[in-house]
Every structure is written in structure tokens, then in C-alpha cells.
Amino acid sequence: MTGGEEAAPRRGRAPLPQRSRRRWAIAGGVAAGWVVLEVMTGSVVSATVVLVAIAALGGASLAGLRALGITRDHPWIQRMASRPWRDGQDVLRVAMRHLPDVFVITPSGSLLAPAVVELQLNPADLDSLREQMDLDVISSSLTEVYEEQVVAYQARPAAPGRAQVYVIASGSVPPGRYRLRQGDPVRAGTRPDLLDVPYAHAAELANSAPRRAYAGPVSHVWQDPGQTVAADGTVAAGGTTVLERSLPSVPALRLVTGSSVAETRMSGARAGRGPVELMLPDVPTVSREHARFTFADGRWRITNQGRNGLTLNGAKVTGEQPLSDGDTIRWGSNPDAPLSRVEIT
């Protein structure tokens, strides 16, 4: 580099997704286990056979637990997944390091940073944080760290203006753990006097249409206001009149699966039976995160994220496929897998 010249900025490196980190951890654990078995047995073949037998036993045990109705949301599993040695501040520090997990990788390979990010904490962890600092301080600190990470990864903001990170309490998050996801601007501004809404209820409200926001003082904790809907479409809560939020330009994407309906206007929304934006039936052929829906160039598109595959109008989905109103999506390769009708309005 000569005097007066500056080095060209290097392209930001995408953060490793949480699913990829989990897979690498599992792979590392399997490799370490195989090495231990090989040392103990003194035979490569014996170590491999024992490892396969352990894996088969573990798979059969998981299948048996699922058949008994013991899923990831069961209280036993929640206790096993908890980190009781972490307090609210420990969880917050860990979550701050992983804020880039919400970045979206576009087809061109660049990073897109959502303008609003939601951090879900166990109610007890959030209560311990509130005893030490104000919620506005927590949100401001998270937002500052998030903006620094956007610059460090050279991500492109998804919307003009300053980013915002807000916190909610979710009973589905085990103690000592957290959950990060793209946020909803509606949730970022509500009454500060309500706390601890179960995640399933929050998702139901978030996917309802039309969406509405509270007028008046705001807090960075979103909660169910116990709202009532008037005949003119406004919402009354505790004597406060709530004005209807203007609809965004992105058309609504609706999945009709039997008697179940899920709707979103958020590009990057996930569909599955886990903690996602578009909830699907809890059946074995549906993965926890089965598909991702993105909106670009005036069209919705679908990308397979699950291990069971999916079909669009009877054809297997490979890569990113455009969607049209009236399309059908089958969640899995089995003929009896759930079938959804796509409605775009």
C-alpha cells in the first residue's frame, strides 16, 4: 500500500448460524466419543460398532419419548435444557455475543440486518435483570451492541433508520437460556405494566391481521394488553384507544392447512412446528424449521429448511422457488403429509 492509499474494505464474514454450530458440536462430540471408544477397545471396528449401537439406542429412545408425548416443550426437557447457574446478566451477555444470528444471508451472499430484533428471556431471568437495571437501559445496550455488529459484519440494514432490539418474557424459554429472532415493530412499543406472556400466545397475536400498535408511552417489553376490538376496527385497552397501524406494502402470505391458518408479512419468516413465525401442525413429517419464506422483486419465495423435504404443486422444492396465489405445499415426502394452500393477498 502506497502513501495516501487505503486498503479496500474486506467483505464481512457471515456469522455461523446456530443450527450449524449445533451440528459442529454434535460432530465434534461424536468424533471425541469414537476416539475414546477406540482407545478403550483397541479396535477401530469395535469402536465403530459400539458408537453405532449407542446412536441407534439414542434414536430409539427419542422416538419412544416422542410417542409418549414428551417433546422439547415438556417440563422435564425444559429443566434439562435450563442453565440454572446463569443469572439474568449472564444470559444477557451471551445473547449479546450472538445477536448476528438474526442476520439474513441473501442469494447474492450479502448480509441483511433486520431493523427490529426480539430477544426472549425466561420470566425469572428478566425479573432479575429488572432488579438491576431499567428496561430502557437493557434495550439501549442491546441496540448499541447490535449496531456495532452490523458494522463489523458489513451487513446491510433491512430498513432505513436506527435499529432496535427489545426484550420480552417467554415462558417457553428455559431458565438460563434465550431465544433470538427477527422482531415485529408492533411489539416494540406497548404498555410497560404487563409482563410474562407465553410464547404461543405472542405468536398468535403477532400473526393476526390487521396488526395494531398502542398509542402513548412505550416500553421495550411487549405484552398482551387484554385488548377489545371495537366495531370500527380500533382497539381499546384500559381506557386507551389504539389506532390501527397502516398496512405494509408487502402482501400477506397465508398458509391454510386444514382448519389451521398462519399469516405473515415479514420477509424471512420461517414455517414449521417449532418456535417460528408460521406455525404448522405438530406431526412427525413437519420439521421444527421446515421452510423459509422471503419477499423480493414483488414475489414471495420458498426455500426448504427441513430434513423431510417438501413439494410445491407436487414438485420437489430445490433451492428458492417462487410462489403464487393458490399454490399447494406438502410438508414432507409422504403422501399423507400435511398439505397447505397458499393465499397471497
Side-chain angles (χ1 to χ4, degrees):
M1 182 175 66
T2 59
E5 294 181 354
E6 295 183 357
R10 293 187 299 176
R11 187 173 184 175
R13 186 177 182 181
L16 195 62
Q18 184 176 7
R19 180 183 296 182
S20 297
R21 292 199 303 269
R22 189 182 299 116
R23 288 174 177 172
W24 277 109
I26 293 173
V30 171
W34 183 89
V35 171
V36 172
L37 290 172
E38 197 275 335
V39 172
M40 294 175 60
T41 61
S43 170
V44 172
V45 176
S46 299
T48 304
V49 170
V50 172
L51 190 62
V52 170
I54 294 174
L57 181 61
S61 301
L62 290 175
L65 290 174
R66 177 172 291 184
L68 294 174
I70 302 177
T71 62
R72 187 174 182 179
D73 297 326
H74 194 278
W76 295 352
I77 307 300
Q78 292 282 301
R79 284 195 292 269
M80 292 175 61
S82 66
R83 300 291 187 270
W85 56 87
R86 291 178 180 170
D87 59 14
Q89 283 191 322
D90 293 333
V91 180
L92 186 64
R93 282 193 290 267
V94 175
M96 281 183 172
R97 295 200 300 268
H98 294 286
L99 284 172
D101 288 352
V102 299
F103 291 169
V104 177
I105 302 178
T106 65
S108 63
S110 61
L111 297 178
L112 191 65
V116 183
V117 178
E118 178 181 284
L119 171 62
Q120 299 178 6
L121 299 179
N122 182 271
D125 292 332
L126 186 54
D127 285 343
S128 68
L129 273 177
R130 295 182 69 190
E131 293 175 356
Q132 303 175 44
M133 65 185 77
D134 188 76
L135 288 173
D136 289 335
V137 176
I138 298 174
S139 180
S140 299
S141 302
L142 286 167
T143 300
E144 182 178 352
V145 173
Y146 180 69
E147 290 178 336
E148 292 174 354
Q149 292 171 337
V150 169
V151 174
Y153 284 103
Q154 299 182 15
R156 177 167 55 89
R162 188 179 180 187
Q164 183 178 8
V165 183
Y166 65 93
V167 184
I168 72 168
S170 175
S172 66
V173 178
R177 304 297 292 267
Y178 68 92
R179 183 183 294 124
L180 280 168
R181 55 183 285 170
Q182 297 183 41
D184 189 331
V186 177
R187 303 189 191 186
T190 65
R191 301 190 312 177
D193 56 341
L194 295 166
L195 189 62
D196 191 16
V197 170
Y199 172 78
H201 192 192
E204 178 183 351
L205 292 174
N207 291 329
S208 61
R211 298 179 179 182
R212 298 172 173 89
Y214 284 93
V218 300
S219 167
H220 298 288
V221 176
W222 177 88
Q223 301 302 337
D224 177 16
Q227 61 192 27
T228 57
V229 182
D232 60 355
T234 60
V235 179
T240 302
T241 300
V242 183
L243 302 179
E244 183 174 0
R245 179 172 176 257
S246 59
L247 294 177
S249 58
V250 177
L253 172 70
R254 189 178 300 112
L255 298 180
V256 182
T257 312
S259 60
S260 173
V261 179
E263 180 178 323
T264 187
R265 294 179 183 270
M266 184 182 74
S267 180
R270 302 160 299 169
R273 58 180 175 84
V276 295
E277 292 75 23
L278 296 168
M279 295 294 296
L280 296 174
D282 189 1
V283 296
T285 60
V286 179
S287 302
R288 294 185 62 81
E289 293 184 13
H290 204 127
R292 183 180 292 272
F293 295 88
T294 55
F295 185 82
D297 300 326
R299 295 200 67 176
W300 280 102
R301 291 173 169 80
I302 184 174
T303 305
N304 179 35
Q305 300 284 314
R307 292 176 293 182
N308 298 324
L310 58 85
T311 61
L312 176 63
N313 299 325
K316 184 178 180 181
V317 173
T318 57
E320 193 177 54
Q321 300 285 337
L323 291 173
S324 300
D325 186 47
D327 285 349
T328 58
I329 302 172
R330 188 172 295 280
W331 305 95
S333 56
N334 297 337
D336 59 345
L339 186 69
S340 297
R341 185 179 74 256
V342 177
E343 295 181 358
I344 299 176
T345 58

